[in-house]
């Protein structure tokens, strides 16, 4: 990891940022002691696209219908809250 002093970092900031954006980590020193690290940012997570399986899956309108007996067995009188 290359080390540059504060004065050089100030005068060469654009070049150092370009190097960091390309994947290089750079140490910035003040008085000969490492003070900061300049490095690449992680890529932002991609946004999810809703509906990407539309038309590819056939789901029933009432998904709970096949499980009514199991729901009744688990929740008894309270099963109406889940219907």
């Amino acid at each position: 990891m290359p080390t540059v002093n504060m004065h050089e970092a100030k005068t060469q900031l654009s070049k150092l940022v370009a190097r960091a954006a390309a994947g290089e980590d750079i140490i910035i020193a003040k008085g000969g002691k490492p003070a900061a690290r300049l490095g690449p940012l992680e890529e932002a997570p991609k946004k999810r696209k809703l509906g990407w399986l539309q038309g590819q899956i056939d789901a029933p309108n009432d998904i709970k219908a096949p499980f009514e007996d199991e729901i009744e067995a688990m929740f008894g009188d309270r099963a109406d809250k889940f219907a």
Side-chain angles (χ1 to χ4, degrees), residues 31-43:
K33 296 181 182 178
R37 181 178 63 210
L38 181 62
L41 291 174
E42 294 179 16
E43 286 189 32

Side-chain angles (χ1 to χ4, degrees), residues 8 29 48-49 54 61 65 74:
E8 182 182 356
R48 295 182 181 182
K49 181 180 176 186
Q54 186 173 3
N61 289 333
M74 286 189 284

Side-chain angles (χ1 to χ4, degrees), residues 8-32:
E8 182 182 356
K10 286 194 270 187
T11 58
Q12 301 292 322
L13 183 61
S14 295
K15 291 179 184 178
L16 294 174
V17 169
R19 287 169 54 186
E24 188 175 354
D25 280 322
I26 300 163
I27 299 295
I28 299 174
K30 184 174 184 179

Side-chain angles (χ1 to χ4, degrees), residues 28-80:
I28 299 174
K30 184 174 184 179
K33 296 181 182 178
R37 181 178 63 210
L38 181 62
L41 291 174
E42 294 179 16
E43 286 189 32
K46 294 180 180 179
K47 292 188 178 184
R48 295 182 181 182
K49 181 180 176 186
L50 297 178
W52 61 277
L53 283 176
Q54 186 173 3
Q56 298 180 31
I57 295 176
D58 185 26
N61 289 333
D62 187 7
I63 195 85
K64 294 182 277 184
F67 306 103
E68 286 179 359
D69 294 337
E70 288 87 352
I71 293 172
E72 180 66 33
M74 286 189 284
F75 299 102
D77 295 338
R78 298 180 303 162
D80 292 339

